[in-house]
Each structure stands twice: as structure tokens, then as C-alpha cells.
């Protein structure tokens, strides 16, 4: 089956054809590092990690280039630096804020099972022309001015939206509509109220770089145009790449403006061939906000839940649909994972991915359907439905291989699993069955000291025994994972 992706720009799901199958190129907008990332920020990171893994599976691990930037220059960062480190010179304070936050972000998303992207450029390293000749913001802005798409006014360099006839195509916002509500007085220096900042002058107390337009700093949008070109610009001057991703909230103005800058600077028909956007996330039925007190950071969640649970819970919903993030959903996801771990503990994954599971992912990343398929082939479910005969090691091995594509590498050793949380402790089912038999034998010979010892030993592993009777009324002991 071919890979099909939904493209926000053309509003259709169509077959994915890479420009160069030996180097499939994807860019996803990364975090602005001034505060802990929240669970809404985690969604694109997880969704595009699944796509990255799928592309690697399809085209080969060495044939996919994934770039996710780090925005480490932003007025929000300046404010945070001044607040948190009032005694320090601003630049030093900014470095403290961005380094700490970027490190935290990396640790958070690694715990969510996300592979590191191929490149994670930091904006501040791409402001000025570089020794290695990779694209940079100042050169890009000069190109835009030279081609008549940008101008200097009022201490800023602005993009001239009217210089681009199809500006607004991604968001479907037409220029004449945007003009209506604009605050004309504030924007008096602009040719059109929709013109946006490429460069602005910095005061002495603000971070700045010396440029042809004076000491200043870049606008947000130009960062992504420069960093995507720096790592995804093809051979022979082909600047168009394959996939650009991000959250729905970035379509306007951020992605609209990235397209305008990149296309006009390079003179190309497109910036990327497929524009992919994940849907919104709300918490317990409400929009997440600090004032409502339902603001959930990835870091908070990881204190209570293993990363795989958070990840599975995110992927239960198709990436383009809105998600309602709930405690109930997390609990359900943990139960599912507990079952899966029980199924595949200490089993070597097979080389094959389940074909139906793969087809679901190839259909515009239908993770919901893929997870349903994992349920269908889950040995636990088959056993509970009395299909004991259907059990085969192959099913479990394919299940493990498939689940790994979705969830990141499942922990392999018992020690790793124990580290990831008690409820996901690796379970050696054969050993438990043996212990249960030993305990039954001890009870039969009335050696209650030994039977209690075995029960306590299992409890220490997080396994709780339940004594009951089977259909024929004979004593039967079952077990479950302690919660
Ligand atoms: Zn961006």
C-alpha cells in the first residue's frame, strides 16, 4: 500500500511521492524555550515522531532527514530572563533560561519515546552568515529586499505581502479581509497592515546582532525559513522539501509567512510539498489555560505516568482530530499497555510489522486504527476470548515489532522496565506460573510458611495473586499487576 498524507494546502489526502527517495526531508516547528513544554506542545512532537519512524521504515533509516528547530531568541525569553535572573547581564540570563529549558525539553520528549531529529538547529546560530555556508536569516532577508519582497520602515524590515499574488493560500485568508480589522495607527509605517516583521532594531537592553539594517533581532517566522533551508535545501538549488509539520495553531500567521518568505526568497512554486497539521488539545473538556488551573506540562505528567502511557494516550486519537486529554483516558491507556507488556515481555520482536497495522499508519497516519489492530492481535485478548489455540509466538513477536513503531522502543530488559514504573514492570509470565504452581503444591502439603513466602515474593515484583475457583469448582489462582 502507498503512503497517503493529508495536505492542508491543497485540502486533500494524496499519495506521498518524495522529491528524492534517497533523502526524504521533513521540517517541524520546535519549541520556544522559555518555559516547561505543555501537553499541547507534546502532540506534534509525538505525532511527527511516528511519521519519522514510518518514513524510516519505508525509505530506510539513513534516507530521512528530520529537522526540528529550537527558538532561543524571542521577546518572551527576554522577559523570563529579566524576571528569573534580575542580577545577571541580560545575555547571560537569556542563556541560562534557554539552556535550562532546552535541556528539559529534550529530556521530556526522550521520555515520550521520541527519536532525536536528524538536526535540531538553534535560531541564534542562524542569524548571521555562517562559516559553513548554510542558509542564515540575514542573507535571506537581503534576498527578499533584492527581489522586491521586503522593505525597511520605522526601525523594521517588513515583508511586503502585496508583492506575493497568492499570499494567504494556506490559511485561506485573503488580504482584503485581513485589512478590515487592522489597527491602522499602530501600523502606519507599513505599506499593508498585514506586512510582517523580518527584522527589528534592538534597544541596548535587548539581544541583538549587527546587520545591514542596524543592531537588531529577527522576527519569529524568518527563523524557520532559514533553518529549513539550512538543512533541507536540496542539491542544484532546489529549495523545495517534502513535508512541513506543526500544530493547527501555526497555520496563520506563522506557516503562511514561512511560505511567503521561502518562496519569494528562492523564487520557488512551493516551500514544501505536503503541509501537515495536528489538531487541538483540550483538558477534561476545557481549553487548557494557566488561569483555569488545568495547564499540564509534560514534566508534571511524567511524574505520574510512564512516557509510553502518555504517548499511547496521545495516539489513540487521529492526529488531525481534536483530543480531549483526560485522567480516565490515561488510566485506560495504562491498562492497555500493562496487557501488551504482559504479552510481549522477554519476547524478541519479529522482523515484520503486522500488515494491517502498517496499512492503517500508511493511511494518513491513522494511529487510532493501528491501535485497534494491535488490540485484535493482542494475545491477551485472544486468550480472554477463549481462542487459546490461536496463540502463537509469531503473533506476539509481530505485535512487539508493530507496537515499537508506534510507541518507540519498548524497554527490553527487566531492569529498564522496573525503572519505567511499577505498573509496567517487566513480567516473566512463565516464572509467575511456576511460582503459582509451587505455591499450590506448598498449600496442598499445608506448608503455609512457604506459600506465604511465594506470595510475598510475587507481591514484591508488583504481582498480586487472587485465589478463586475454576469452572469445575477446583481452586484456581489468577494474578494481576498491582496498581
Ligand atoms: Zn516554524
Amino acid at each position: 500500500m502507498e503512503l497517503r498524507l493529508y495536505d492542508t494546502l491543497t485540502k486533500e489526502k494524496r499519495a506521498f511521492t518524495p522529491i528524492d527517495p534517497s533523502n526524504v526531508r521533513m521540517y517541524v516547528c520546535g519549541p520556544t524555550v522559555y518555559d516547561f513544554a505543555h501537553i499541547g506542545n507534546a502532540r506534534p512532537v509525538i505525532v511527527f515522531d511516528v511519521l519519522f519512524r514510518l518514513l524510516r521504515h519505508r525509505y530506510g533509516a539513513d534516507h530521512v532527514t528530520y529537522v526540528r528547530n529550537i527558538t532561543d531568541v524571542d521577546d518572551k525569553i527576554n522577559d523570563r530572563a529579566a524576571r528569573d535572573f534580575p542580577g545577571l547581564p541580560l545575555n547571560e540570563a537569556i542563556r541560562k533560561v534557554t539552556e535550562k529549558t532546552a535541556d528539559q525539553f529534550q529530556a521530556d520528549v526522550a521520555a515520550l519515546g521520541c527519536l532525536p531529529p536528524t538536526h535540531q538547529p538553534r535560531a541564534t546560530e542562524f542569524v548571521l552568515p555562517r562559516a559553513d555556508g548554510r542558509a542564515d536569516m540575514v542573507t535571506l532577508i537581503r534576498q527578499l529586499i533584492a527581489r522586491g519582497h521586503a522593505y525597511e520602515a520605522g526601525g523594521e524590515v517588513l515583508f511586503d505581502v502585496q508583492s506575493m499574488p497568492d499570499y494567504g493560500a494556506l490559511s485561506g485568508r485573503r488580504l482584503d479581509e485581513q485589512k478590515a480589522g487592522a489597527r491602522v495607527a499602530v501600523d502606519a509605517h507599513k505599506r499593508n497592515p498585514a506586512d510582517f516583521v523580518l527584522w527589528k532594531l534592538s534597544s541596548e537592553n535587548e539581544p541583538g546582532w549587527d546587520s545591514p539594517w542596524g543592531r537588531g533581532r529577527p522576527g519569529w517566522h524568518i527563523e524557520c525559513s532559514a533553518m529549513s533551508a539550512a538543512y533541507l535545501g536540496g542539491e542544484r538549488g532546489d529549495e523545495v522539501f517534502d513535508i512541513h509539520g506543526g500544530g493547527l495553531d501555526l497555520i496563520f500567521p506563522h506557516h503562511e509567512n514561512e511560505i511567503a518568505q521561502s518562496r519569494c526568497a528562492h523564487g520557488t512554486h512551493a516551500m514544501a510539498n505536503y503541509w501537515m497539521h495536528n489538531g487541538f488539545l483540550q483538558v477534561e473538556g476545557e481549553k487548557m489555560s494557566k488561569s483555569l488551573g488545568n495547564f499540564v506540562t509534560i514534566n508534571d505528567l511524567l511524574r505520574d505516568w510512564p512516557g509510553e502511557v502518555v504517548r499511547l494516550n496521545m495516539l489513540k486519537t487521529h492526529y488531525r482530530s481534536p483530543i480531549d486529554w483526560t485522567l480516565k483516558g490515561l488510566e485506560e491507556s495504562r491498562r492497555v499497555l500493562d496487557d501488551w507488556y504482559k504479552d510481549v515481555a522477554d519476547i524478541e520482536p519479529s522482523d515484520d510489522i503486522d500488515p494491517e497495522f502498517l496499512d492503517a499508519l500508511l493511511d494518513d497516519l491513522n494511529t487510532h486504527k493501528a491501535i485497534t489492530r494491535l488490540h485484535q492481535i493482542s494475545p491477551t485478548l485472544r486468550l480472554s476470548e477463549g481462542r487459546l489455540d490461536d496463540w502463537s509466538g509469531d503473533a506476539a513477536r509481530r505485535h512487539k515489532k508493530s507496537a515499537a513503531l508506534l510507541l518507540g522502543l519498548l524497554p527490553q530488559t527487566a531492569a529498564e522496565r522496573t525503572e519505567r514504573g511499577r505498573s509496567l514492570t517487566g513480567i516473566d509470565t512463565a516464572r509467575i506460573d511456576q511460582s503459582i504452581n509451587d505455591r499450590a503444591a506448598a498449600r496442598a502439603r499445608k506448608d503455609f510458611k512457604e506459600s506465604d513466602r511465594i506470595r510475598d515474593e510475587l507481591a514484591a515484583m508488583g504481582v498480586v495473586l487472587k485465589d478463586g475457583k475454576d469452572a469445575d469448582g477446583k481452586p484456581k489462582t489468577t494474578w494481576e499487576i498491582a496498581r
Side-chain angles (χ1 to χ4, degrees), residues 27-30 69 71 220-221 223-225 244-245 250 254-255 258:
Y27 185 89
V28 176
C29 296
N69 70 294
T71 293
W220 172 34
H221 316 305
E223 296 178 11
C224 288
S225 284
H244 192 310
L250 295 183
H254 185 54
H255 289 166
E258 279 188 38

Side-chain angles (χ1 to χ4, degrees), residues 14-303:
R14 60 177 204 277
F16 174 71
T17 316
I19 297 164
D20 174 4
S22 73
N23 183 21
V24 180
R25 291 168 286 158
M26 172 164 81
Y27 185 89
V28 176
C29 296
T32 300
V33 285
Y34 70 101
D35 203 351
F36 285 115
H38 58 69
I39 186 64
N41 303 133
R43 193 171 188 191
V45 177
I46 292 172
V47 162
F48 291 104
D49 181 69
V50 173
L51 181 57
F52 184 36
R53 288 172 185 274
L54 183 64
L55 292 170
R56 284 160 57 99
H57 173 77
R58 201 157 180 84
Y59 296 96
D62 298 334
H63 300 292
V64 184
T65 305
Y66 172 22
V67 179
R68 187 179 64 215
N69 70 294
I70 292 169
T71 293
D72 59 351
V73 49
D74 188 281
D75 289 354
K76 286 194 282 280
I77 296 173
N78 305 345
D79 295 345
R80 183 59 60 101
R83 190 195 83 181
D84 289 358
F85 302 97
L88 285 185
L90 186 67
N91 278 341
E92 218 172 296
I94 285 173
R95 202 171 328 116
K96 276 195 185 286
V97 169
T98 57
E99 276 176 9
K100 193 179 104 200
T101 315
D103 287 351
Q104 184 64 56
F105 177 79
Q106 304 295 3
D108 286 348
V109 301
L112 295 176
C114 297
L115 294 170
T118 322
H119 303 285
Q120 296 198 70
R122 286 166 186 250
T124 49
E125 288 164 16
F126 291 81
V127 178
L128 298 179
R130 293 166 55 92
D132 65 6
R134 289 191 188 276
D136 65 273
M137 299 174 215
V138 164
T139 304
L140 216 52
I141 297 170
R142 292 177 81 141
Q143 279 166 349
L144 287 169
I145 296 174
R147 286 172 177 261
H149 292 291
Y151 59 95
E152 249 186 293
E156 295 175 336
V157 179
L158 294 153
F159 185 91
D160 181 357
V161 291
Q162 275 168 321
S163 73
M164 183 185 185
D166 55 349
Y167 178 81
L170 180 71
S171 59
R173 295 187 189 214
R174 294 166 51 88
L175 273 182
D176 42 0
E177 287 168 14
Q178 292 172 37
K179 220 183 232 174
R183 294 161 298 164
V184 175
V186 178
D187 295 331
H189 64 295
K190 293 185 177 180
R191 291 180 191 166
N192 185 297
D195 290 353
F196 56 90
V197 171
L198 301 172
W199 189 265
K200 56 185 166 190
L201 294 181
S202 293
S203 72
E204 231 174 87
N205 299 322
E206 288 166 331
W209 289 261
D210 289 323
S211 80
W213 319 286
R215 186 179 168 278
R217 59 198 191 281
W220 172 34
H221 316 305
I222 196 74
E223 296 178 11
C224 288
S225 284
M227 287 182 277
S228 58
Y231 287 103
L232 301 178
E235 306 284 322
R236 301 177 303 277
D238 173 18
E239 301 292 349
V240 183
F241 56 91
D242 295 300
I243 299 168
H244 192 310
L248 207 59
D249 52 324
L250 295 183
I251 292 178
F252 189 88
H254 185 54
H255 289 166
E256 197 73 80
N257 293 349
E258 279 188 38
I259 292 174
Q261 296 161 161
S262 293
R263 281 185 49 196
C264 292
H266 304 131
T268 49
H269 67 284
M271 178 181 186
N273 283 339
Y274 299 80
W275 283 84
M276 294 178 65
H277 293 95
N278 61 272
F280 288 115
L281 177 145
Q282 54 177 15
V283 173
E284 306 285 355
E286 301 212 54
K287 191 173 187 292
M288 186 167 58
S289 82
K290 282 191 171 150
S291 57
L292 280 174
N294 64 350
F295 197 82
V296 187
T297 68
I298 304 175
N299 205 252
D300 291 337
L301 272 176
L302 289 173
R303 260 181 227 144

